């Protein structure tokens, strides 16, 4: 797509929406505030593409922020959901579909001996933190600057993209007490972790990390650093929680835990395990999970948890991932993209960061590994790149803090076109 596509219908819908919902949206970054312009209204998604209300078609590199590793409307996923829905939308009682998805997750993730399903990533992390506190009898948790773990009060502290985008260090409406037991450390700093544990070790219930931090750009960590977290927590009787809401089933069936060969005590999932429907999960060591109600004293519940349609979408998604060896294919597509974009990025003073099918372009030299190392000016330079890509028919997430995703619905031609378009946009940015 070239020239200036009409966005009239999207604009009109956005005007209507703004009267009804704050900034017209149901999740803040969707409002395009950090890239300027109005959001597009999407009429449908087909395979690797989105079509907006004005009939413009875009290669979708946002993938609904991660769940759509198979692209839109994969036939096996749709068939599984239709079959499940024919038998009812929700029972509020146990059903076979929960067991099937649980078995698939347990089989893929060695650290997950038992799990419980919820309806979002936020819920999954919130429950995992409560469970860690209940299990250890300690109150403090450690998180890392730039990592996002959903919008539970205690975790909205230095929490990455959406917040960094709007310059909010921690949200209004969070009582000081709710965040008082949340300790924040910089990523990629072993000494900071050791020092904190030397002072506070006996009071720390858990260290919570995105093992592949992907909410503040893509701040890839050294395996040795993640191993250090494992060692320190083990030594002090604290739990290690991997938030795999993005990385789970994205960088391989076993997520970051398998990729780095580190076994967390608890892990949280979302996005891909719901195949596009609302699902989250938290799981881990059996003795910890057995502290959950009704077996143990840690309460957690959900009306729609284990929803039949969502379970079916997740199970079908995980089956396709395995049967079609999707991760190997996505790695090859990612490498193909990198071969074109990384040199173009370097030539324009930018850096292309990638792990498998997750990538991030940042307008600074060298890949940052901690929030403080990300140059705010580099993030601002994303807005014109985003606009150029949109005009060229590529839908990227509307914020420089966000990563992009490849999907199994993309083919070599899509990826080659994406590479050429990104390279051209980078070069144009340098000239401009
Ligand atoms: N944890 C991580 C690592 C995430 O990326 C997100 C969402 N982007 C969440 C938790 C929260 O998930 P949800 O939006 O489904 O509540």
């Amino acid at each position: 797509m070239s020239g200036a596509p009409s966005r009239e219908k999207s604009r009109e819908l956005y005007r209507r929406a703004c009267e009804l919902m704050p900034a017209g949206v149901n999740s803040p970054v969707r409002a395009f505030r950090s890239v300027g312009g109005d959001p597009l209204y999407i009429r449908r998604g087909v395979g690797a593409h989105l079509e907006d209300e004005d009939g413009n078609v875009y290669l979708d590199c946002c993938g609904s922020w991660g769940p759509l590793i198979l692209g839109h409307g994969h036939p096996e996923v749709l068939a599984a959901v239709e079959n499940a829905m024919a038998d009812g939308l929700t029972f509020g009682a146990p059903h076979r579909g929960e067991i099937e998805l649980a078995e698939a997750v347990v089989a893929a993730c060695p650290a997950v001996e038992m799990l419980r399903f919820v309806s979002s990533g936020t819920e999954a992390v919130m429950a995992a933190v409560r469970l860690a506190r209940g299990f250890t009898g300690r109150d403090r948790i450690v998180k890392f600057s730039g990592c996002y773990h959903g919008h539970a009060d205690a975790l909205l502290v230095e929490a990455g993209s959406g917040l960094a985008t709007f310059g909010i260090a921690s949200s209004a409406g969070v009582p000081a007490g709710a965040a008082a037991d949340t300790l924040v450390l910089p990523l990629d700093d072993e000494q900071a972790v050791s020092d904190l544990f030397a002072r506070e070790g006996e009071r720390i219930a858990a260290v919570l990390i995105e093992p592949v931090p992907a909410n503040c750009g893509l701040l890839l960590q050294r395996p040795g650093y993640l191993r250090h977290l494992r060692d320190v927590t083990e030594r002090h009787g604290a739990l290690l929680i991997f938030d795999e809401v993005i990385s789970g089933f994205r960088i391989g069936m076993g997520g970051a835990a398998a990729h780095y060969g580190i076994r967390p005590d608890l892990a949280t999932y979302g996005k891909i395990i719901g195949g596009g429907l609302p699902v989250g999960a938290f799981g881990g060591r059996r003795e910890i999970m057995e502290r959950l109600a009704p077996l143990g004293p840690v309460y957690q519940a959900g009306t729609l948890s284990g929803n039949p349609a969502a379970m079916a979408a997740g199970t079908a998604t995980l089956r396709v991932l395995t049967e079609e060896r999707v991760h190997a294919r996505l790695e090859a597509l990612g490498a193909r993209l990198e071969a074109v974009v990384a040199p173009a990025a370097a030539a324009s003073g930018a850096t292309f960061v990638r792990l498998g099918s997750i990538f991030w372009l940042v307008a600074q030299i060298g890949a940052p590994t901690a929030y403080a190392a990300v140059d705010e000016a580099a993030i601002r330079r994303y807005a014109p790149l985003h606009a150029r890509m949109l005009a060229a028919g590529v839908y990227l997430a509307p914020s420089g803090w966000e990563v992009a995703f490849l999907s199994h619905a993309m083919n070599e031609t899509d990826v080659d076109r994406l590479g050429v378009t990104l390279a051209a946009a980078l070069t144009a940015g340098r000239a401009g």
Side-chain angles (χ1 to χ4, degrees):
M1 195 151 307
S2 60
S6 166
R7 296 187 187 145
E8 210 32 61
K9 288 185 182 154
S10 280
R11 222 164 273 138
E12 176 52 30
L13 288 167
Y14 190 52
R15 268 195 295 274
R16 265 169 72 189
C18 285
E19 293 299 313
L20 301 163
M21 293 167 275
V25 294
N26 289 304
S27 198
V29 188
R30 293 181 196 172
F32 271 48
R33 287 293 165 99
S34 69
V35 291
D38 293 340
L40 299 180
Y41 273 72
I42 304 303
R43 184 159 66 198
R44 59 179 182 159
V46 179
H49 295 90
L50 288 171
E51 183 183 333
D52 70 14
E53 289 276 353
D54 291 284
N56 305 305
V57 175
Y58 305 88
L59 184 70
D60 182 10
C61 294
C62 180
S64 192
W65 307 85
L68 298 183
I69 191 167
L70 301 181
H72 296 270
H74 189 285
E76 282 193 43
V77 177
L78 288 187
V81 172
E82 281 164 13
N83 276 340
M85 288 194 313
D87 289 330
L89 291 179
T90 176
F91 311 131
H95 64 97
R96 183 185 295 269
E98 299 168 306
I99 301 172
E100 289 169 357
L101 183 54
E103 282 174 346
V105 174
V106 167
C109 306
V112 180
E113 295 168 2
M114 293 186 110
L115 75 164
R116 180 167 279 177
F117 292 112
V118 292
S119 299
S120 68
T122 294
E123 268 186 273
V125 185
M126 193 178 77
V129 166
R130 183 181 305 139
L131 181 57
R133 286 171 162 161
F135 179 79
T136 57
R138 303 173 178 180
D139 288 340
R140 302 224 146 154
I141 51 168
V142 178
K143 78 175 286 290
F144 297 89
S145 185
C147 286
Y148 178 67
H149 302 289
H151 62 93
D153 278 357
L155 303 174
L156 274 182
V157 185
E158 296 195 33
S161 58
L163 297 169
T165 299
F166 304 117
I168 304 169
S170 85
S171 171
V174 175
D181 285 316
T182 305
L183 307 169
V184 183
L185 289 180
L187 284 162
D188 192 24
D189 183 346
E190 277 98 336
Q191 196 58 50
V193 177
S194 298
D195 292 349
L196 179 66
F197 269 86
R199 284 199 315 273
E200 304 249 4
E202 280 156 35
R203 301 169 69 186
I204 295 172
V207 169
L208 169 64
I209 188 168
E210 285 181 78
V212 178
N215 275 289
C216 191
L218 187 58
L219 306 178
L220 296 178
Q221 300 298 294
R222 288 171 291 112
Y225 173 72
L226 297 171
R227 272 197 300 278
H228 182 71
L229 298 183
R230 178 65 288 182
D231 293 345
V232 171
T233 46
E234 204 157 278
R235 228 175 309 127
H236 288 85
L239 303 186
L240 178 63
I241 307 175
F242 273 4
D243 182 349
E244 299 236 37
V245 168
I246 288 183
S247 55
F249 299 91
R250 166 61 67 177
I251 60 171
M253 290 304 285
H259 181 78
Y260 293 112
I262 295 170
R263 194 179 173 103
D265 300 292
L266 292 173
T268 56
Y269 299 90
K271 301 194 190 263
I272 289 174
I273 60 160
L277 291 180
V279 177
F282 61 104
R285 270 162 54 197
R286 183 175 299 274
E287 62 168 329
I288 304 173
M289 292 303 291
E290 287 183 342
R291 296 292 175 91
L292 272 183
L295 293 181
V298 179
Y299 193 71
Q300 187 280 330
T303 301
L304 293 176
S305 295
N307 175 265
M311 296 291 104
T315 304
T317 299
L318 300 199
R319 191 173 56 241
V320 173
L321 287 176
T322 310
E323 283 175 3
E324 299 186 12
R325 298 178 39 78
V326 168
H327 297 102
R329 184 170 174 271
L330 287 176
E331 170 56 32
L333 288 178
R336 192 178 175 106
L337 181 68
E338 183 168 343
V340 174
V341 182
S348 69
T351 303
F352 180 81
V353 188
R354 179 182 72 89
L355 183 61
S357 57
I358 314 177
F359 67 92
W360 181 47
L361 262 178
V362 62
Q364 69 186 73
I365 294 164
T369 56
Y371 175 62
V374 181
D375 182 356
E376 294 276 344
I379 299 299
R380 281 195 297 278
R381 285 173 61 193
Y382 178 80
L385 180 98
H386 180 267
R388 274 186 215 108
M389 293 302 286
L390 212 52
V394 175
Y395 191 90
L396 295 171
S399 162
W401 294 107
E402 302 294 343
V403 295
F405 298 101
L406 299 178
S407 83
H408 187 44
M410 293 178 185
N411 58 30
E412 278 78 5
T413 311
D414 293 323
V415 170
D416 289 348
R417 188 169 76 87
L418 173 61
V420 168
T421 312
L422 274 173
L426 284 160
T427 307
R430 184 168 148 224

